[in-house]
Amino acid sequence: MSMNKNTVLAWATFIMIIVGLGLIALAAFKYREVAGYGFGAVGVGFFAIAWVFNALKGRV
C-alpha cells in the first residue's frame, strides 16, 4: 500500500480528531477544576490543526 501526501494528511487529520475528542472528554468528565479548562483548550487546538490539515489535502 503506497501512501501519498493526501493519504498521510487524511490519517493525520483522523488521529488529531480522535486525540482532540479524548482531551475534551477528559476535560468534561475527569478534570472539573481549572485543569479541565486547559485540557479543553488543547482539545479545541487539536481540532483547529486537524482542520488545517484537512484544508491542505490536494494543495501540498
Side-chain angles (χ1 to χ4, degrees), residues 1-2 5 8 18 26 31 33 35 43 55 58:
M1 178 176 140
S2 176
K5 294 177 281 191
V8 171
I18 296 299
L26 277 174
Y31 297 107
E33 39 307 314

Side-chain angles (χ1 to χ4, degrees), residues 11-29:
W11 276 106
T13 301
F14 178 69
I15 291 169
M16 292 196 80
I17 287 173
I18 296 299
V19 172
L21 285 174
L23 286 169
I24 291 173
L26 277 174
F29 299 118

Side-chain angles (χ1 to χ4, degrees), residues 9-60:
L9 285 173
W11 276 106
T13 301
F14 178 69
I15 291 169
M16 292 196 80
I17 287 173
I18 296 299
V19 172
L21 285 174
L23 286 169
I24 291 173
L26 277 174
F29 299 118
K30 180 157 176 59
Y31 297 107
R32 297 198 182 266
E33 39 307 314
V34 177
Y37 296 125
F39 275 99
V42 171
V44 170
F46 267 81
F47 279 151
I49 296 170
W51 176 59
V52 169
F53 281 170
N54 193 30
L56 285 175
K57 282 193 304 188
R59 291 185 168 87
V60 177

